[in-house]
Amino acid sequence: MNNVVDHDTLTINTLIDIPTLKKGAMKDSAPYVAAPEFQQALGFPGELVDDWQARAIEKFGELLKKSRALQVYMDSCVKCGACTDKCHYFLGSSDPKNMPVARQDLLRKIYRRYFTFAGKYFPRLVGAEDLTEAVLDDWYSYFHQCSQCRRCSVYCPYGIDTAEISMAAREIMDHIGKGQKYCNEILGKVHKIGNNLGLPVAALINTVEDLEEDLEEETGVTVRLPVDEKGADILLVTPSADFFAEPHVDGLMGYAKVFHQAGVSWTISSYASEAANFALFIGSYEQMKLVAERIRKAAEDLGVKRIIFGECGHAWRVAYSFLNTLAGPFDFLDAAYPIPQHICEFTWDLIEKGELRLDKSANDHMTLTFHDSCNVARGSRMGDYPGGQFEIPRAIIRACCNNFVDMAADTIKEGTFCCGGGGGLLTDDLIDIRTRGAAPRMQALQDVVTDHGVTHMVAICAICKSQFAKVMPTYGFAMDNVVSLHQLVSNAIVLDGQNVNGVEHTDLDPGSQAQ
Amino acid sequence: MLSTIYAVLFYIAMAVFTVGLVYRIRLYARTPAPLKIPTTPAPVTRSGVVLRMAKEVVFFESLFKANKWIWLFGWVFHVALLLVLIRHLRYFTEPVWWWVKWAQPFGLYAGFALLGGLFALWVRRIAVERIRYISAPSDHLMLLLLIGIGISGLMMKFVAHTDIVALKAFVLGLVYFSWQPLPADPLLLIHLGLVLVLMIIFPFSKLLHAPGLFFSPSRNQVDNPREQRG
Ligand code: SF4
Ligand code: SF4
């Protein structure tokens, strides 16, 4: 890339200065356009249609009728500017069109021109514009520089959520034949093969068998990772990156150990071997429903009683917030447990009941901090009280290690900064904006590294983990400075019968014995 | 003649304002919100949502989190506007309600706070590069319109008194459809004229943020998707 990040300006010590504007700085940062075959596979036109203006306006009008959020958000912005310094992509790139309100305005100016009285008759006055090719180019660039992280919506006095607006814009672009290669290809793979990676059943089974061998070697205990086991109690739906990427896979081994120690029967499904639902990113309700229904079908076919999701941010948002609506009701599952449940909820429940034996010192070689993933933080919940999504992961971390420090208060929990790779941006053609978007998080991390000697950052999202592993070296960290939460659990957990320092471990405290 | 023009304009403005707003609110209410998208952490009960909304409406809670200056100026302006509107109720009621009487002095000082808030917001709109960038001409004009209303109003109190007894007769005449002459005082005509303009543009402008806030799914939804389908 010729437009690489300037290290001097990014790895500075003072936290997140608001930059002066550099107009057009990221104008040319646009992802590859989806090829016709991948567009058509999702029912979209193969390439930009001739009457794209008319079709775009028509689609826009349709979306306005279908989404109260879009309609209200288009009308309500007062241009107060409160959101202007809240987007990590703006902070990292200085491009004014990456200010949330300016990003919204790319769509809003078209809304005003074609759908409002003021914009039809006094366009200049209210900043309304015709839908020209230049506008479409801006849409394609800047709506793919939004990770739909919802940080801006926390601070807007009307809760205007730029994520909703980006989703609508991408949906419009898909329908005129200008879709994004990365997301649309991946959705095609999910429909065809069952996961984002296009990992076929045989390869999946090979992979988990290797992992089972590793686990046995490490612990001396047979820990299984069952695939397609009918009649299992729990269906685990996890991002496919968990099957092979680092540090994801260490998390997967952590889930397996927890299930093993809890003595529950569980299985992965090869049909729904993917928690991710990229249809969220392209704003397609129909696609999102189709992908969600795969999970329902897998649960029904396998006859499970519970569904548990692995560590993935947007997948958890879709699961927690939308699954019931998209593919419910799930009355065939056991209502005694949350439907669906997050792996952190499951693990924390066991820890609270004293059913896991955790040796904190196993993580003594690290000082840890926690990165709240945006979709978990601002688009979902864990546990039965607001904010459980912040407390439960931290409680697990504290139960698994001795050294934990939080990053600065305005960069975590509901104010968390995106990793920079969410929302369908985790592709090499967008590496420049991804690296820039990571800047605020990297600065916050640098601060706790300097002040508290933090060595590793914990994440509970497949995208965050991949993104950090990729961009952290640019900021002077190592790629393995990001770890999975269940990797900590995996390190700390002591299984019944496990070899510890050459001695077979038997449970000495019957009080903490699993059922 | 002048009285007739203003009377007719008043009815037109009132009609546009009411019909426009009702139409918009109906549109918001009828447009489906198929998925649950509250910005979390969000309340898990209806009453929790009422509290969340109340904090937004009364204290501008999110704006407070975002930016203390914008919050200060915006909040002062809105509270002052409320007090000023209460003060103006005395022109529409006979006898004047006790609490309106009681609020009169507050309403008066609020007039200055209102102008102060508006000017401060305008200075920010011009001086802060980011906010200047996102401002359309209408954003500046909206502030100017409100400033014009504020200045003309205060001038009638402090510079050139207008005949408020005759004014009240005119206003009550409008309300009860027995029209009375309007004092031909230029300041008053400007003041009323600008208010009528504001009422007319309300349903077509960003002033729709007022009803919009109550319909914003990220703020008004209960966080209970696992229990209840959208
Ligand atoms: S949703 Fe996130 S990425 Fe998108 S504009 Fe808002 S802050 Fe930026
Ligand atoms: S904070 Fe909300 S109202 Fe203010 S400029 Fe941003 S989107 Fe518009």
Side-chain angles (χ1 to χ4, degrees):
Chain A
M1 307 292 315
N2 47 5
N3 205 5
V4 192
V5 175
D6 175 1
H7 298 249
D8 295 339
T9 60
L10 287 179
T11 49
I12 36 167
N13 30 32
T14 47
L15 193 63
I16 319 154
D17 277 332
I18 302 167
T20 45
L21 308 184
K22 278 192 222 139
K23 286 187 193 167
M26 301 306 292
K27 199 174 178 18
D28 299 324
S29 168
Y32 297 137
V33 178
E37 51 167 318
F38 294 106
Q39 282 284 102
Q40 281 152 358
L42 302 182
F44 304 136
E47 48 195 30
L48 193 65
V49 293
D50 289 336
D51 57 341
W52 62 269
Q53 273 111 331
R55 298 268 286 269
I57 301 303
E58 187 191 338
K59 186 73 198 171
F60 193 177
E62 198 183 294
L63 294 180
L64 285 165
K65 288 203 185 73
K66 277 204 249 174
S67 163
R68 182 185 301 161
L70 187 62
Q71 176 64 59
V72 170
Y73 296 161
M74 282 293 116
D75 279 341
S76 297
C77 175
V78 297
K79 312 294 170 82
C80 71
C83 62
T84 51
D85 58 350
K86 301 296 183 262
C87 178
H88 49 289
Y89 293 117
F90 170 66
L91 295 173
S93 76
S94 312
D95 190 318
K97 285 183 180 157
N98 277 326
M99 300 189 295
V101 45
R103 196 186 314 284
Q104 298 161 20
D105 277 350
L106 295 175
L107 199 62
R108 191 177 283 115
K109 64 188 181 186
I110 303 305
Y111 167 71
R112 288 193 168 158
R113 185 75 181 104
Y114 296 88
F115 298 97
T116 71
F117 176 85
K120 276 180 194 154
Y121 299 102
F122 313 99
R124 295 280 294 267
L125 183 70
V126 295
E129 255 179 62
D130 288 336
L131 179 52
T132 59
E133 218 170 313
V135 172
L136 180 61
D137 287 345
D138 267 0
W139 279 9
Y140 197 71
S141 288
Y142 292 103
F143 285 121
H144 290 106
Q145 296 180 40
C146 170
S147 57
Q148 306 172 340
C149 77
R150 314 189 90 201
R151 189 168 195 267
C152 43
S153 103
V154 170
Y155 297 101
C156 172
Y158 318 112
I160 296 176
D161 181 4
T162 317
E164 291 294 318
I165 293 167
S166 286
M167 289 169 192
R170 293 187 195 176
E171 167 90 329
I172 294 171
M173 290 190 281
D174 271 331
H175 278 86
I176 58 173
K178 195 162 179 177
Q180 184 211 16
K181 174 174 188 271
Y182 175 65
C183 283
N184 291 2
E185 273 190 25
I186 277 182
L187 278 165
K189 283 185 207 156
V190 173
H191 291 311
K192 257 199 207 140
I193 301 164
N195 55 58
N196 282 7
L197 299 168
L199 197 68
V201 195
L204 181 67
I205 290 173
N206 270 337
T207 310
V208 297
E209 278 172 0
D210 287 350
L211 294 177
E212 285 175 340
E213 276 171 31
D214 292 350
L215 280 165
E216 179 140 18
E217 213 167 281
E218 181 205 336
T219 62
V221 178
T222 310
V223 177
R224 297 199 52 228
L225 283 106
V227 177
D228 292 338
E229 236 163 61
K230 285 208 172 183
D233 282 343
I234 295 171
L235 168 65
L236 174 77
V237 186
T238 205
S240 53
D242 279 5
F243 297 117
F244 78 104
E246 284 289 348
H248 313 54
V249 70
D250 303 304
L252 175 63
M253 298 210 270
Y255 320 151
K257 286 188 188 177
V258 172
F259 287 138
H260 174 90
Q261 186 61 22
V264 293
S265 69
W266 66 287
T267 186
I268 296 160
S269 152
S270 64
Y271 176 75
S273 48
E274 180 61 69
N277 191 332
F278 274 32
L280 174 73
F281 301 153
I282 64 167
S284 168
Y285 185 94
E286 294 74 23
Q287 285 293 324
M288 192 153 65
K289 189 171 163 66
L290 286 175
V291 176
E293 276 165 351
R294 294 181 72 93
I295 293 169
R296 182 195 174 95
K297 181 167 169 12
E300 281 176 327
D301 291 352
L302 293 167
V304 297
K305 302 197 182 83
R306 305 165 65 178
I307 303 179
I308 292 183
F309 275 77
E311 297 178 6
C312 186
H314 84 282
W316 181 239
R317 181 177 185 201
V318 176
Y320 171 86
S321 295
F322 307 150
L323 198 66
N324 196 13
T325 305
L326 292 171
F330 285 89
D331 32 23
F332 62 95
L333 296 177
D334 185 347
Y337 302 96
I339 306 169
Q341 193 174 26
H342 194 282
I343 186 71
C344 285
E345 294 178 312
F346 181 81
T347 301
W348 177 238
D349 191 42
L350 293 171
I351 294 176
E352 265 195 314
K353 289 189 194 144
E355 289 178 12
L356 296 185
R357 176 181 293 263
L358 297 166
D359 172 15
K360 291 185 179 191
S361 69
N363 287 311
D364 271 353
H365 58 293
M366 297 184 273
T367 297
L368 295 145
T369 192
F370 179 63
H371 167 78
D372 291 279
S373 298
C374 19
N375 275 298
V376 176
R378 292 183 285 256
S380 73
R381 173 160 51 99
M382 289 180 201
D384 52 11
Y385 59 97
Q389 67 269 39
F390 310 137
E391 303 315 323
I392 289 175
R394 285 176 171 79
I396 299 175
I397 297 172
R398 287 205 176 91
C400 291
C401 77
N402 286 309
N403 316 309
F404 173 74
V405 205
D406 255 323
M407 288 177 276
D410 56 345
T411 71
I412 56 170
K413 301 188 176 173
E414 73 169 355
T416 189
F417 276 112
C418 172
C419 62
L425 273 59
L426 193 74
T427 165
D428 281 346
D429 38 328
L430 293 175
I431 190 65
D432 186 23
I433 189 69
R434 280 170 55 191
T435 312
R436 290 169 184 279
R441 170 49 76 229
M442 292 295 101
Q443 288 181 346
L445 175 61
Q446 183 61 54
D447 284 354
V448 285
V449 168
T450 312
D451 297 346
H452 302 281
V454 164
T455 60
H456 291 78
M457 181 164 65
V458 185
I460 48 167
C461 169
I463 290 177
C464 297
K465 293 170 198 172
S466 301
Q467 157 77 354
F468 285 135
K470 177 94 180 183
V471 303
M472 277 169 78
T474 313
Y475 289 91
F477 302 103
M479 55 184 292
D480 59 2
N481 284 156
V482 58
V483 294
S484 294
L485 189 146
H486 273 78
Q487 179 176 351
L488 303 182
V489 179
S490 175
N491 292 346
I493 197 168
V494 184
L495 303 177
D496 292 344
Q498 175 169 349
N499 289 322
V500 179
N501 303 329
V503 186
E504 182 179 303
H505 183 270
T506 47
D507 202 324
L508 299 173
D509 173 11
S512 71
Q513 181 64 271
Q515 305 284 357
Chain B
M1 179 62 194
L2 202 63
S3 302
T4 317
I5 293 176
Y6 267 75
V8 170
L9 278 177
F10 174 84
Y11 289 122
I12 292 176
M14 202 62 209
V16 171
F17 177 80
T18 316
V19 174
L21 217 53
V22 167
Y23 171 81
R24 220 62 200 166
I25 288 173
R26 260 186 34 192
L27 176 72
Y28 295 162
R30 287 184 178 178
T31 308
L35 291 172
K36 303 221 178 183
I37 57 166
T39 313
T40 60
V44 295
T45 58
R46 253 294 128 207
S47 48
V49 165
V50 171
L51 184 68
R52 181 186 204 179
M53 292 300 293
K55 284 195 280 185
E56 288 297 348
V57 173
V58 179
F59 301 114
F60 300 7
E61 188 186 28
S62 297
L63 187 57
F64 184 78
K65 278 186 212 162
N67 187 306
K68 300 293 184 279
W69 288 117
I70 304 177
W71 175 83
L72 179 70
F73 302 145
W75 192 77
V76 163
F77 159 66
H78 281 86
V79 170
L81 180 64
L82 179 68
L83 291 172
V84 169
L85 287 176
I86 290 173
R87 181 178 156 89
H88 280 68
L89 279 179
R90 69 174 164 156
Y91 297 112
F92 294 84
T93 51
E94 186 57 50
V96 178
W97 302 324
W98 67 268
W99 55 274
V100 174
K101 273 189 197 146
W102 179 82
Q104 289 302 306
F106 300 104
L108 187 58
Y109 297 119
F112 291 99
L114 178 136
L115 274 182
L118 287 170
F119 270 113
L121 287 171
W122 199 25
V123 167
R124 276 190 69 83
R125 198 171 281 297
I126 294 165
V128 178
E129 190 190 22
R130 283 171 289 127
I131 308 186
R132 187 169 65 236
Y133 178 89
I134 58 168
S135 300
S138 57
D139 298 309
H140 293 280
L141 287 173
M142 189 66 77
L143 285 170
L144 275 175
L145 177 62
L146 289 163
I147 287 172
I149 292 172
I151 290 182
S152 56
L154 279 174
M155 278 177 72
M156 277 185 284
K157 176 72 196 172
F158 291 103
V159 182
H161 274 275
T162 204
D163 181 353
I164 54 168
V165 176
L167 169 66
K168 180 156 180 173
F170 171 76
V171 175
L172 283 175
L174 290 177
V175 176
Y176 296 108
F177 298 99
S178 90
W179 299 325
Q180 308 293 323
L182 174 69
D185 171 354
L187 274 178
L188 179 63
L189 297 180
I190 292 174
H191 187 69
L192 289 182
L194 294 179
V195 170
L196 294 177
V197 171
L198 186 71
M199 284 167 69
I200 289 171
I201 61 177
F202 198 107
F204 304 101
S205 68
K206 66 176 183 178
L207 299 181
L208 286 171
H209 70 278
L213 170 57
F214 295 93
F215 288 94
S216 173
S218 45
R219 290 290 180 270
N220 75 7
Q221 288 185 338
V222 182
D223 175 18
N224 63 355
R226 285 198 284 202
E227 292 76 34
Q228 215 172 72
R229 299 185 64 203

